[in-house]
Amino acid sequence: MSFSKVGVVGLGIMGAGIVEVFARAGYEVTGVAESIPAVDAGQANLAKSLSRAVSKGKLSQEESDAITARVIFGSEFKLLAECDLVIEAAPEILSLKTEIFSQLDSVVKPSGILATNTSSLSVTEIAHATKRPAQVIGMHFFNPAPVQKFVEVISTSESDPKTVAQIVELGNSLGKHLAQISDQPGFIVNKLLLRYLNHAVQILDSGQASREQLDSAMRELSNYPMGPCELLDLIGIDTCVEILKTIYADTGLEIDQPATGMVQLVKAGNTGRKSGSGFYDYADAHQVPTDANDEIKTQVHNDLLIAYLGDCIAMEATGYATKADIDSGMKLGCGLPEGPFEVISRLGLAKVRVAQAELATRTGVVAYQPLAL
Ligand code: 3HC
């Protein structure tokens, strides 16, 4: 099967980004959202992203016009009837996604593949809202979708191997680096990333460090493109809380319970950049945070890094993902300068294990203990 028509349902930041990825790669794309204002917002997001690329000289005006011409927008599911693939990028609410899949199942042609861009929910449960679970798959992009080169391809125990192979071929045609994995809460990257982000907000909630200290610590001492509070604002704090709830329901570990600071911001409607404020205010141009307190920065940087490296070691040990896929996911999905296993080999595994034990003893969090050898 060769794909020519691709549909995207949900035109928020991720949905609009996915539309751009496919349209740039030459596919005919139909973007559908639940209401006219949501359609307009998605269309405006695409236009903004393309005009940024044109003004930077990355794209000619003619190329930008050709990309725009390949996209149709609308608010009716029937527009998706002839699509070879439809990717759902709606908010992280299972009942909403299952409702969308049930509707897609009734309108999309029988040969069409249905994919979810869910960040952590069960692809298996979503597939069961349709009568074609063998043709349902996870295709998880990273924000901003046109920039991040990693995509997780999630198959369920019912996915047809042919469907998986077709999606892998399609993902490669987009110039993305793929990891093929099974259906587990948070998959590779979000399981690791969200625990790290939650850890940062737990530190913030405890008063040990400010948001500026946390952000400048990770930017300056590990060369991350963004600190944790800035990244939470970029992803959307509401989305992060939902992902953590799914992970927490699976692990039952206190470290996965969404941190109070995040939950409160969501309750107040301050969900991050998309709402105009989150950990930071976006009314004015966002300034890169800096903070001069080197001692606090070093401490929080080391704690966040060691807990995260321990999680990476534990994930690889379960056999869920390879070191290569974990490294690629964190570098190509989140723009980190080094993969965790590259960091571990630079620091030395023995040193990391000693630091894990010290962190566990100092904080009393058993989950930070190194794995038994
Ligand atoms: N859409 C399209 N392109 C964008 C963009 C957007 N929203 N934002 C930035 N870009 C492009 C710019 O045009 C620029 O392209 P160029 O190199 O070709 O000129 C490039 O990205 C770099 O942009 P800037 O110079 O403006 O800004 P930065 O250098 O500060 O980079 C960033 C911005 C790419 C967002 C970088 O800070 C980054 O990688 N941050 C980490 C983001 C991350 O971790 N994402 C994953 C989150 S987890 C997730 O999405 C999963 C979900 O399920 C929760």
Side-chain angles (χ1 to χ4, degrees):
M1 175 184 184
S2 65
F3 295 88
S4 60
K5 288 188 199 306
V6 174
V8 178
V9 175
L11 297 173
I13 312 166
M14 286 310 292
I18 295 169
V19 166
E20 181 176 340
V21 168
F22 280 95
R24 274 181 179 250
Y27 295 92
E28 279 179 55
V29 187
T30 304
V32 170
E34 76 286 4
S35 65
I36 300 296
V39 172
D40 291 346
Q43 206 159 359
N45 265 336
L46 175 66
K48 188 172 153 200
S49 185
L50 292 177
S51 80
R52 180 197 339 216
V54 171
S55 65
K56 281 187 161 185
K58 303 274 173 185
L59 207 62
S60 70
Q61 189 57 51
E62 291 71 38
E63 285 166 327
S64 167
D65 292 345
I67 292 167
T68 309
R70 282 196 279 276
V71 187
I72 302 166
F73 287 101
S75 60
E76 290 177 23
F77 274 54
K78 64 177 187 222
L79 294 170
L80 301 164
E82 291 309 314
C83 287
D84 305 306
L85 165 72
V86 178
I87 304 176
E88 164 277 319
E92 258 332 70
I93 302 163
L94 185 62
S95 56
L96 177 63
K97 290 191 188 276
T98 52
E99 171 57 30
I100 290 172
F101 270 75
S102 148
Q103 285 190 46
L104 288 175
D105 195 28
S106 59
V107 297
V108 177
K109 63 182 179 183
S111 61
I113 295 174
L114 306 180
T116 174
N117 180 54
T118 180
S119 305
S120 61
L121 295 170
S122 162
V123 180
T124 309
E125 275 182 75
I126 293 170
H128 271 267
T130 73
K131 294 188 189 72
R132 56 177 108 179
Q135 284 159 250
V136 177
I137 195 159
M139 208 176 176
H140 184 222
F141 291 79
F142 293 85
N143 187 359
V147 178
Q148 310 297 3
K149 292 274 172 265
F150 196 64
V151 173
E152 291 169 323
V153 176
I154 302 117
S155 50
T156 71
S157 57
E158 288 156 296
S159 301
D160 181 345
K162 263 197 292 184
T163 301
V164 181
Q166 284 162 350
I167 292 297
V168 167
E169 198 183 323
L170 175 74
N172 287 330
S173 79
L174 301 172
K176 299 290 187 188
H177 184 104
L178 310 179
Q180 288 184 63
I181 44 176
S182 63
D183 190 16
Q184 287 192 16
F187 317 122
I188 299 177
V189 174
N190 281 347
K191 176 86 184 275
L192 299 168
L193 182 71
L194 268 293
R195 192 177 271 176
Y196 148 77
L197 295 175
N198 204 33
H199 187 184
V201 184
Q202 286 161 348
I203 291 173
L204 183 68
D205 288 350
S206 74
Q208 195 194 331
S210 67
R211 60 193 182 173
E212 289 83 2
Q213 283 163 344
L214 286 158
D215 285 344
S216 47
M218 299 318 289
R219 275 180 178 270
E220 291 163 23
L221 303 177
S222 265
N223 277 322
Y224 283 13
M226 290 180 156
C229 298
E230 298 172 279
L231 184 51
L232 282 155
D233 281 352
L234 175 81
I235 299 171
I237 305 166
D238 50 343
T239 303
C240 292
V241 167
E242 291 308 319
I243 299 171
L244 281 161
K245 281 185 193 164
T246 307
I247 296 173
Y248 179 54
D250 181 53
T251 67
L253 293 173
E254 212 178 316
I255 52 171
D256 293 327
Q257 192 164 18
T260 313
M262 248 189 262
V263 175
Q264 280 172 348
L265 282 170
V266 174
K267 278 191 187 145
N270 297 324
T271 53
R273 282 192 192 198
K274 62 186 170 188
S275 73
S277 85
F279 287 97
Y280 295 99
D281 199 346
Y282 295 88
D284 304 316
H286 176 57
Q287 297 296 312
V288 173
T290 52
D291 186 282
N293 191 326
D294 288 340
E295 207 179 306
I296 291 180
K297 278 177 359 192
T298 304
Q299 179 74 66
V300 296
H301 165 268
N302 293 352
D303 287 359
L304 287 170
L305 180 68
I306 289 301
Y308 154 72
L309 294 179
D311 288 336
C312 297
I313 294 168
M315 178 180 278
E316 195 260 344
T318 64
Y320 180 60
T322 63
K323 286 180 184 169
D325 280 346
I326 296 172
D327 274 354
S328 301
M330 300 315 295
K331 287 197 291 185
L332 302 175
C334 304
L336 302 190
E338 283 180 294
F341 290 97
E342 292 168 340
V343 177
I344 291 166
S345 55
R346 179 166 53 73
L347 298 177
L349 179 59
K351 201 171 153 196
V352 172
R353 288 178 60 81
V354 169
Q356 281 183 275
E358 187 280 323
L359 178 64
T361 308
R362 176 162 44 83
T363 59
V365 178
V366 179
Y368 295 148
Q369 282 291 355
L371 287 185
L373 284 172

